[in-house]
Structures are given as structure tokens and as C-alpha cells.
Amino acid sequence: MKILSIDQALLHTAFAIFDNDRYIKHFSWELKRKDNTDEVCYETFFREIEKAIKKEKPDIVICEKMYLGFNPAVYGKLQELVGIIRAICIKNKTPFEAIPTATYRSKLGIRNKKEAVTSFIALEFPELKIANTDESDAIALGFAYCIMRKEIK
């Protein structure tokens, strides 16, 4: 089973690919905000997600399920991104699942902090060059999903 895991954000998004429960690769993109409107950011996000799904042809796409944190405006934008990913998956007939951040991090036995995820990935995958914390999150999400799948079997 080929898994595309996504750590989504409006200006920077990371992806990780797992196939048959093995890490394959990761990548990310970033958009400079200063010259872009929300419309341009959403269009770019849509285009990059669709491109990744079409190129990688995953059996399932997973992303982080958002929680209402301290900033309702950020929560709203992130929820819109989950909806965009879901819509692209529907269009491409690709199964989709949003997993709560605390759930996937607890499967890995790590605290619910970005720094803990980065440290975990550096220890678990020391050979990888990680460009940003979003890439660590995407890899951790995909890795946790592989563990969760094994527990269900």
C-alpha cells in the first residue's frame, strides 16, 4: 500500500511517501507570502496537492486533523486546507483520512510538541536530510500510520 502523508499549511507544505510500510522519500514546497494574496496561496496549495497525488498515485492520502488551538483564524484556514485535500482525493478517487495530531504522535511515543517530532525523526531516520519541521511532521505522520495499519491487521 502506497501512502502519501501531508503536513499541510498555506505557505509551506511537506509530503512523505511510504510504500509497503517502508519510507521512500519526502519533499516540500514553500511560497513567499509577501507578494501573494490568499487567493494565490490557495491556488498554489491546490495545484501542489493535486500534482503530488497525480504523480505519486497513492493508495491513500493522510493528513493532520486540525484542532481548535489558541488561534481560531489559523484553525479556520487549516480546516479549509483539509477540505481542499479531501476534495482532490474525491476527484481522483483516492481514499483519504485525517488523523489527529495527538493520535499519531502518541503512536510514536512522543510528546505533542513539534520539537519532539523533529528529534524522533532524526533518531529514527538519521540518514535523511530534513529541510524543515514540516518534513519531519509529514514523515512522522506516515510512519505512525504504518504502525497503526499493522495494529489493525
Side-chain angles (χ1 to χ4, degrees):
M1 169 181 266
K2 190 172 188 181
I3 302 162
L4 172 62
S5 64
I6 303 172
D7 181 65
Q8 71 276 10
L10 195 55
L11 297 176
H12 44 85
T13 295
F15 306 85
I17 305 293
F18 286 79
D19 199 358
N20 293 319
D21 298 329
R22 288 183 39 242
Y23 167 84
I24 303 298
K25 66 179 177 178
H26 67 278
F27 52 98
S28 61
W29 62 267
E30 184 174 353
L31 186 64
K32 302 299 180 208
R33 178 59 185 232
K34 68 178 186 168
D35 298 323
N36 294 300
T37 63
D38 273 358
E39 184 176 338
V40 169
C41 293
Y42 282 112
E43 287 173 0
T44 302
F45 181 84
F46 183 95
R47 191 172 48 254
E48 293 295 327
I49 296 296
E50 189 165 52
K51 182 170 71 175
I53 291 172
K54 285 183 176 181
K55 179 182 178 193
E56 299 301 335
K57 297 176 179 41
D59 296 305
I60 189 166
V61 173
I62 60 172
C63 74
E64 288 186 76
K65 187 175 199 173
M66 297 298 97
Y67 68 96
L68 182 57
F70 296 109
N71 189 333
V74 170
Y75 170 79
K77 285 188 184 259
L78 291 174
Q79 276 302 101
E80 288 176 352
L81 300 182
V82 172
I84 289 169
I85 296 169
R86 184 182 300 275
I88 294 169
C89 286
I90 290 168
K91 178 183 171 190
N92 287 284
K93 296 179 175 39
T94 303
F96 169 80
E97 188 172 344
I99 301 170
T101 305
T103 299
Y104 91 77
R105 288 179 181 172
S106 71
K107 280 292 165 201
L108 299 177
I110 54 180
R111 296 184 332 272
N112 201 18
K113 301 279 184 205
K114 258 195 180 306
E115 300 80 24
V117 174
T118 302
S119 296
F120 176 85
I121 294 302
L123 289 171
E124 193 68 35
F125 300 95
E127 71 283 3
L128 299 183
K129 292 187 182 203
I130 307 294
N132 52 56
T133 59
D134 303 315
E135 290 181 354
S136 294
D137 284 344
I139 295 166
L141 175 61
F143 188 54
Y145 188 78
C146 292
I147 292 168
M148 292 162 57
R149 281 181 6 92
K150 288 178 184 175
E151 291 175 355
I152 293 172
K153 290 181 182 181

